[in-house]
Amino acid sequence: MIVTLTANPSLDRTVALPSPLERGEVQRAVSVSQESGGKGVNVSRALVSSGLETIAILPGGDGDPVLAGLRDGGVPFAALAIGEPLRTNVALTEPGGVTTKINEPGPELNAEQQEALIGLLLERSQGATWVVLAGSLPPGVPADFYATVTRRLRSMSNGHDAPRIAVDSSGEPLSAAISGDENGGISGKPDLLKPNAEELAELAAAAGFSTVVSAEELEADPLAAANAAAAVVRSGVGAVLATLGSKGAVLVTPDGAWLATHAPVKAVSTVGAGDSSLAGYLLASSRGAAPADCLRQAVAHGAAAASLPGSTVPAVHQTTPDAVTITALRKD
């Protein structure tokens, strides 16, 4: 069982344009689609498509369109009623896969609602193999929320059969995930971080990486990406799965580093590709695959997602892991 927490879920509308976006002009869409979304929700959707047991934890009222979409898609969920509608995000996709996203902030969660959401997660995480904490945080939620949840999950298990914890976020919530541990030795650092190149650059700086790097440099130089990820691992994180767009992905653990690249695909929409990559990694991990093969499936899932319209997530049979090349890297 893989449990996902999406504190700031959304109804994701994808508008496909027939030509590049023209600011200030009127353009007609060729198609419009919508899916229940948010990073954790997308991971659960992808896992359901591949037949893996999962449950999505999120806030939202019973009649909210996000929850209705999960029901229609057969995605198991447990929701905390908050008395407010969830947000709607809009993605504009151009030919070739260029994507512009406009994300709403989402409804505010007060302290009582935050505690209730954590309680719901703890209840449903009994016996889970992985817990995924993913996406942005809504207004009112402190930046160290994911670190707090991680410590609560580990305290609940008391060191016995604790689920592994993956975090996929950005900005302050992501940086806070590698900050100091709580007094008393309970770590708030995850077993797996899933940054993109821009987020990896921020994380490496926060972890004290000696070289200042940009997202462009990391995408162009896999070894630089591996060294940046290694700095994050040395800070106490279990592993880093860094997605590098069309350049593939890098996985770094205490025991090694690998680059995975996929044969070129025709990009249609990159919405949810990173979430699908994480789902692919977790799918392989749940089946006992070695780290390099978890990376292989992650990149296969991400490439398949990029070749599908809107925020469609691929099933495992739609992925092509045989088209992925794995290269061992020597990190500094």
Side-chain angles (χ1 to χ4, degrees):
M1 164 70 82
I2 295 177
V3 181
T4 66
L5 172 66
T6 308
N8 202 16
S10 60
L11 186 66
D12 288 348
R13 291 177 56 84
T14 302
V15 180
L17 300 176
S19 57
L21 177 67
E22 299 177 25
R23 295 182 61 192
E25 300 296 328
V26 175
Q27 290 176 266
R28 295 186 182 277
V30 294
S31 67
V32 178
S33 61
Q34 66 181 35
E35 294 276 3
S36 300
K39 284 184 172 294
V41 166
N42 289 340
V43 170
S44 282
R45 288 173 50 223
L47 294 173
V48 166
S49 296
S50 296
L52 203 66
E53 187 179 6
T54 182
I55 185 169
I57 309 299
L58 69 163
D62 189 58
D64 197 280
V66 174
L67 302 192
L70 292 177
R71 289 191 194 93
D72 292 344
V75 179
F77 67 88
L80 174 73
I82 58 173
E84 291 186 65
L86 298 173
R87 61 182 179 151
T88 298
N89 293 339
V90 177
L92 306 175
T93 63
E94 305 172 35
V98 175
T99 301
T100 302
K101 298 186 70 175
I102 304 171
N103 292 348
E104 296 181 6
E108 182 172 349
L109 295 186
N110 60 37
E112 182 179 348
Q113 291 168 328
Q114 293 171 39
E115 183 60 31
L117 188 62
I118 294 174
L120 182 59
L121 175 70
L122 296 178
E123 175 188 340
R124 295 305 184 107
S125 296
Q126 299 283 348
T129 55
W130 280 96
V131 174
V132 178
L133 312 176
S136 64
L137 296 176
V141 178
D144 65 351
F145 181 74
Y146 288 146
T148 298
V149 173
T150 297
R151 286 191 287 266
R152 293 281 295 276
L153 283 163
R154 288 176 175 152
S155 296
M156 173 193 72
S157 65
N158 198 27
H160 300 289
D161 298 323
R164 286 175 286 178
I165 299 166
V167 172
D168 182 5
S169 189
S170 60
E172 290 185 7
L174 183 61
S175 297
I178 67 167
S179 61
D181 293 338
E182 185 181 62
N183 291 335
I186 299 176
S187 175
K189 297 178 182 179
D191 299 285
L192 177 69
L193 275 177
K194 208 297 295 170
N196 59 27
E198 182 176 352
E199 293 155 357
L200 177 58
E202 296 173 1
L203 280 171
F209 187 45
S210 58
T211 304
V212 177
V213 289
S214 67
E216 292 75 17
E217 290 172 316
L218 295 179
E219 289 187 352
D221 185 351
L223 188 56
N227 287 330
V232 179
V233 171
R234 286 194 296 271
S235 76
V237 173
V240 173
L241 169 65
T243 51
L244 306 175
S246 62
K247 304 297 184 180
V250 163
L251 174 67
V252 176
T253 75
D255 299 320
W258 302 266
L259 166 70
T261 56
H262 195 286
V265 299
K266 181 180 180 181
V268 176
S269 171
T270 59
V271 179
D275 307 331
S276 293
S277 294
L278 178 55
Y281 182 98
L282 297 175
L283 177 68
S285 174
S286 297
R287 294 175 174 175
D293 288 322
C294 292
L295 174 62
R296 180 187 303 276
Q297 192 58 55
V299 170
H301 256 76
S307 68
L308 296 172
S311 56
T312 306
V313 293
V316 67
H317 71 267
Q318 295 174 293
T319 69
T320 51
D322 289 344
V324 177
T325 299
I326 301 290
T327 304
L329 300 174
R330 182 178 178 180
K331 61 184 188 297
D332 292 341

